[in-house]
Amino acid sequence: MNISNQQVSAHPFLKGLYGDGYYPDQAVDRGKEILLRLCERIEAERPADLAALYVLTQAATDEFNDLQDDDFDIETVAREEIAEEFWFVANAYGFEDADAEELIATRDW
């Protein structure tokens, strides 16, 4: 599935992490894929309210939890960057009232 939201398709996800030598590009690529899959799910499932959106974002957060267990040290810089990306996605799909902490409530990073 292609992303139809132009704002999302043009967005450079995790740009700050790609520019930081601390994070291997391969791990950042996997994080970007998680975010793009989240966008695809939002477009496919069209969550009707914040509760439905949170189910999707928290599932994606769980994927980041697994990524951290593999080979991606999600420390302060990465935590902030990833959280900002979830906030961007929520806003891009019209959920301006989303709670930033609730979007990633299942995080363990």
Side-chain angles (χ1 to χ4, degrees):
M1 174 183 200
N2 291 325
I3 304 291
S4 64
N5 182 310
Q6 294 298 320
Q7 185 180 7
V8 170
S9 63
H11 184 71
F13 284 103
L14 303 175
K15 181 179 179 181
L17 300 185
Y18 279 112
D20 188 330
Y22 181 78
Y23 305 100
D25 284 353
Q26 181 179 10
V28 180
D29 288 344
R30 290 177 58 202
K32 180 179 176 179
E33 290 168 8
I34 293 168
L35 293 164
L36 290 172
R37 277 195 306 275
L38 169 61
C39 295
E40 289 173 347
R41 286 192 69 193
I42 291 171
E43 290 188 12
E45 297 180 25
R46 305 208 181 270
D49 56 21
L50 284 173
L53 175 69
Y54 294 148
V55 169
L56 299 179
T57 61
Q58 291 171 7
T61 300
D62 291 342
E63 289 187 64
F64 271 102
N65 291 342
D66 293 340
L67 179 59
Q68 176 179 254
D69 293 340
D70 290 342
D71 61 356
F72 191 14
D73 183 21
I74 301 178
E75 49 66 73
T76 305
V77 171
R79 277 194 299 268
E80 291 177 11
E81 180 92 8
I82 295 165
E84 287 175 14
E85 296 294 14
F86 275 92
W87 178 247
F88 165 79
V89 168
N91 279 274
Y93 287 102
F95 293 96
E96 294 87 5
D97 294 335
D99 180 287
E101 290 299 317
E102 192 65 28
L103 291 168
I104 55 174
T106 58
R107 73 178 176 194
D108 64 8
W109 28 273

